[in-house]
Amino acid sequence: MSKINCTVRQASSNLDAKHYDTERIRKEYLVENVMVPDEINMVYSMFDRIIAGGAVPVKEELVLTAPDVLRADFFTQRREVGIINVGGPGSVKVGEEVYHLDTKEALYVGRGNRHITFCSDSPEAPAHFYFNSATAHKETGVKKVSKKDAVVMHLGSLEESNERTINRLLVKEVVPCCQLQMGMTELAPGSTWNTMPAHTHDRRMEVYFYFELPSDAAVCHFMGEPQETRHIWMHNEQAVISPQWSIHAACATRNYTFIWGMCGENDDYGDMDGVATTDLK
């Protein structure tokens, strides 16, 4: 029986969040233990009911079953899932079909696929499967997606410390998602800022997962209302929940990569409300 841990995070008010101290901010929004050997760990957030989690199969295969909070017969009975491998080569078995995922390859699993299993090619270099899940209103199938299939955007510059490549992997232009969107942003060497100028989007919430950070490096994630910003210091393979009223940006001690996952009212990637850098407080 696969070891599955699921915790529930309640949604928080923007009016309350401005009064949180460091400990409370981290308790509400930071997800520290995403990747644990031979476990599936996930957080169920009441912000648009997104699930963010990780699976690290080392000695055995891990089967994704429905946690109690879903009150479902199986995980995707009423949900879709996006999976991105950030570790060694591995595979995801959906029903009787096996999909091999190298590092930074993705898999979209639509509603209604009863059996999902994670495994690694080698225990010496196990796969680290990061996943997001959102509620879904119809069945949309299964599709593997590589960076060559993504909608790619090159933004920023080295002079602004934010030269980056945005790989829109699991978006409506690539897969028939219901509401989930996922992608991966890679910062160029010498760049440390992401998503700057910042923005909010009232129609969606978002989760960031940071990786490719050395053990002695750290990323400072900025959140909160544009006029009431706060920060959370994070490390490799940790995630952070970003409410719809919050900005989401970061700066780190070196370049890094992060996965963004969104769900909510619409699936228009460009639906956002920009905030001028000079207006942040």
Side-chain angles (χ1 to χ4, degrees):
M1 190 74 174
S2 300
K3 184 175 181 180
I4 297 179
N5 303 304
C6 180
T7 59
V8 177
R9 300 279 183 94
Q10 297 298 325
S12 54
S13 164
N14 56 322
L15 299 179
D16 291 334
K18 64 176 66 178
H19 302 294
Y20 292 168
D21 61 13
T22 299
E23 181 179 0
R24 180 66 183 277
I25 289 174
R26 294 175 70 86
K27 182 178 180 180
E28 292 286 339
Y29 307 113
L30 178 64
V31 185
E32 294 186 88
N33 299 312
V34 179
M35 300 295 181
V36 179
D38 286 320
E39 292 184 11
I40 297 176
N41 287 282
M42 68 183 86
V43 166
Y44 180 106
S45 172
M46 290 298 178
F47 284 112
D48 285 310
R49 300 188 180 273
I50 196 171
I51 291 177
V56 185
V58 181
K59 297 178 181 179
E60 58 185 33
E61 296 182 344
L62 297 176
V63 180
L64 183 62
T65 57
D68 291 342
V69 67
L70 296 187
R71 298 294 193 272
D73 295 330
F74 55 97
F75 193 90
T76 59
Q77 186 173 12
R78 298 181 296 272
R79 285 185 161 269
E80 57 186 344
V81 184
I83 303 163
I84 301 177
N85 183 15
V86 301
S91 60
V92 180
K93 185 177 182 181
V94 182
E96 296 301 317
E97 194 75 28
V98 177
Y99 299 88
H100 189 268
L101 298 183
D102 284 325
T103 304
K104 297 184 178 179
E105 289 189 320
L107 183 70
Y108 173 78
V109 182
R111 171 177 168 160
N113 289 280
R114 181 176 289 270
H115 302 291
I116 301 175
T117 304
F118 302 101
C119 65
S120 298
D121 286 4
S122 169
E124 285 73 36
H128 284 206
F129 295 106
Y130 176 72
F131 62 89
N132 286 162
S133 173
T135 56
H137 60 276
K138 64 180 179 179
E139 297 181 2
T140 50
V142 182
K143 184 177 180 179
K144 176 181 174 180
V145 178
S146 300
K147 286 201 290 184
K148 64 179 177 59
D149 307 308
V151 179
V152 179
M153 304 167 60
H154 300 285
L155 297 177
S157 66
L158 188 58
E159 290 75 17
E160 297 171 299
S161 302
N162 65 357
E163 182 182 353
R164 61 200 189 276
T165 300
I166 301 174
N167 304 280
R168 293 162 58 188
L169 294 163
L170 306 182
V171 294
K172 63 182 180 181
E173 296 87 352
V174 180
V175 296
C177 304
C178 288
Q179 64 161 320
L180 181 67
Q181 299 182 67
M182 289 182 74
M184 179 173 57
T185 300
E186 301 169 295
L187 273 71
S191 288
T192 57
W193 278 102
N194 78 65
T195 321
M196 190 58 66
H199 62 263
T200 60
H201 29 66
D202 287 342
R203 279 68 58 190
R204 298 190 301 265
M205 63 79 62
E206 194 160 2
V207 177
Y208 273 15
F209 172 78
Y210 294 97
F211 69 107
E212 294 193 326
L213 274 167
S215 59
D216 60 348
V219 59
C220 188
H221 180 86
F222 292 89
M223 64 162 297
E225 293 181 288
Q227 307 302 309
E228 285 281 353
T229 60
R230 301 292 187 267
H231 68 271
I232 302 175
W233 282 100
M234 300 174 59
H235 299 282
N236 190 50
E237 294 190 337
Q238 292 183 344
V240 62
I241 298 167
S242 179
Q244 74 280 357
W245 44 260
S246 176
I247 66 165
H248 29 279
C251 188
T253 55
R254 56 153 293 157
N255 67 307
Y256 52 93
T257 304
F258 69 98
I259 293 170
W260 43 268
M262 299 184 285
C263 66
E265 181 67 25
N266 68 29
D267 58 3
D268 178 7
Y269 177 84
D271 177 25
M272 58 187 70
D273 302 310
V275 180
T277 305
T278 52
D279 291 336
L280 293 171
K281 294 182 179 179

